[in-house]
Amino acid sequence: MFYPYGDFYGDSQLQKNDDESSAEIHISTAFQFFNQSHRSLFVNTNGDLTFISALSRYTPESFPFQRNASVIATYWADVDTRIVGDVWYRKPRCSFQCILATDGRYSFVVFNYNLTQWTTGTASGGNSSDGVGSTPAQVGFDAGDGIHFYAVPGSQTPGIINITQMSNVGIQENLYFVLT
């Protein structure tokens, strides 16, 4: 299930860009991400959300990524919206979506996928005509503590293009995770 998005729904849109991020977005309820409590986040054009600072790295890295870099990767790849596509968010939210939910104690993330036709941007060694190549997208999360991380099977392989056929809840195109 892909949630409706756009101006009509009150969403904000990142300007067309390559490897940039939103300004820091403050959230009203603290989001518990394993042993960390966050009151703000960044929406990064390259398919991820970060809590500590923006992330402009366009070539995805394997998890664990690096200490003190809390990342939720809906589809971390070299995204260039100057060519095609848009990144929308609704404090917070975005053809793939990342939904964060919390009650202040327990935190969850939902990844929704509608259509994926590429795995790698050109700056990461991808072919400009078909979007596949060197370093495919990373999907998962990393708390930045070297302990709490998860990469969806197929991450950083050509098979990640089939993410729309995957599920961990029996609903194709959806992945749900408990992050507390």
Side-chain angles (χ1 to χ4, degrees):
M1 172 176 65
F2 214 70
Y3 289 90
Y5 64 93
D7 288 325
F8 179 79
Y9 297 97
D11 295 332
S12 298
Q13 182 180 19
L14 290 183
Q15 290 183 344
K16 298 284 189 181
N17 74 82
D18 185 25
D19 309 325
E20 295 180 15
S21 304
S22 69
E24 184 175 18
I25 299 169
H26 296 277
I27 52 180
S28 59
T29 302
F31 188 82
Q32 302 302 314
F33 191 47
F34 297 101
N35 60 344
Q36 301 168 39
S37 179
H38 299 282
R39 301 291 301 215
S40 63
L41 57 81
F42 298 84
V43 176
N44 304 297
T45 299
N46 290 325
D48 54 68
L49 302 175
T50 50
F51 293 99
I52 298 169
S53 62
L55 180 63
S56 63
R57 187 168 296 181
Y58 50 83
T59 300
E61 299 281 339
S62 297
F63 292 147
F65 172 48
Q66 66 186 34
R67 287 214 177 276
N68 301 316
S70 297
V71 179
I72 296 177
T74 310
Y75 200 79
W76 182 7
D78 182 22
V79 178
D80 185 346
T81 58
R82 297 173 307 173
I83 298 170
V84 67
D86 297 299
V87 175
W88 294 87
Y89 62 93
R90 182 186 305 165
K91 281 211 174 185
R93 201 177 92 154
C94 152
S95 242
F96 45 87
Q97 294 177 327
C98 177
I99 297 147
L100 303 179
T102 187
D103 64 2
R105 181 173 178 202
Y106 299 102
S107 295
F108 308 87
V109 64
V110 177
F111 296 161
N112 292 324
Y113 300 90
N114 186 28
L115 180 65
T116 53
Q117 296 181 320
W118 55 273
T119 65
T120 313
T122 56
S124 298
N127 183 309
S128 63
S129 64
D130 64 10
V132 298
S134 183
T135 308
Q138 168 79 297
V139 177
F141 53 83
D142 185 350
D145 60 7
I147 299 168
H148 299 99
F149 62 90
Y150 177 74
V152 169
S155 284
Q156 294 197 292
T157 72
I160 200 64
I161 199 165
N162 298 315
I163 192 75
T164 58
Q165 299 169 21
M166 298 178 189
S167 177
N168 61 354
V169 293
I171 304 170
Q172 196 170 336
E173 302 177 343
N174 300 133
L175 297 167
Y176 290 59
F177 300 99
V178 178
L179 302 177
T180 306

